[in-house]
Amino acid sequence: MRCPFCGGPDTQVKDSRPSEDSAAIRRRRVCPDCGGRFTTFERVQLRELTVLKRSGKRVPFDRDKLQRSIDVALRKRTVDPERVERLVSGITRRLESGGEGEVTSEAIGEAVMEGLKGLDDVAYVRFASVYKNFREAQDFQDLLGTLGGRLEGEAPVSEEVQPPPAQPDEETAVPRRRRPARKSA
């Protein structure tokens, strides 16, 4: 393994152990040339996958890109990283074991949306808004309708109902100006 710091061709493995979900081997490495330390992960890859983009372009499947897109949707959300790793590993395994060497970007997007729907509603809406290229508020409203089962107890927001205009009361009314007292001569 080449050193990411100095580019040295030989690095030494100092520690090897399974990752948290046991789907990968975590290796701690050190470079004898510069002394740099870094971590690598070794995963089982069932087959080489090619992603067919909407534009017709074919690119190799990149698990890290899948991880990054899910991380963006989950930004500032309190979701256990182990659950996120299980989601990414599950989607990857499902795609690899699907029997096809080529998978569409739509299939990947739908798998991510399905996984995020069960993980975090806000991340699901964030991802869907980019994936489905939302253009107006109605698109969000339609998507939120699909989450209806969990949102049943909430009252629908109506655009026609507006609060009545505030009536000034004595505390908020503007006080009258007092006339200056007359000077007596």
Side-chain angles (χ1 to χ4, degrees), residues 8-48:
D10 295 317
T11 57
Q12 298 171 348
V13 176
K14 290 297 180 185
D15 181 41
S16 223
R17 63 179 68 174
S19 64
E20 291 84 22
D21 64 351
S22 297
I25 301 291
R26 177 182 176 269
R27 298 195 194 282
R28 198 69 187 132
R29 296 179 179 264
V30 66
C31 176
D33 297 337
C34 71
R37 293 178 175 266
F38 60 100
T39 303
T40 60
F41 289 90
E42 181 181 314
R43 288 185 171 74
V44 172
Q45 185 172 349
L46 298 176
R47 68 168 33 113
E48 287 289 326

Side-chain angles (χ1 to χ4, degrees), residues 166-177:
Q167 298 293 325
D169 56 279
E170 292 178 22
E171 293 177 16
T172 59
V174 179
R176 290 179 151 190
R177 290 183 62 189

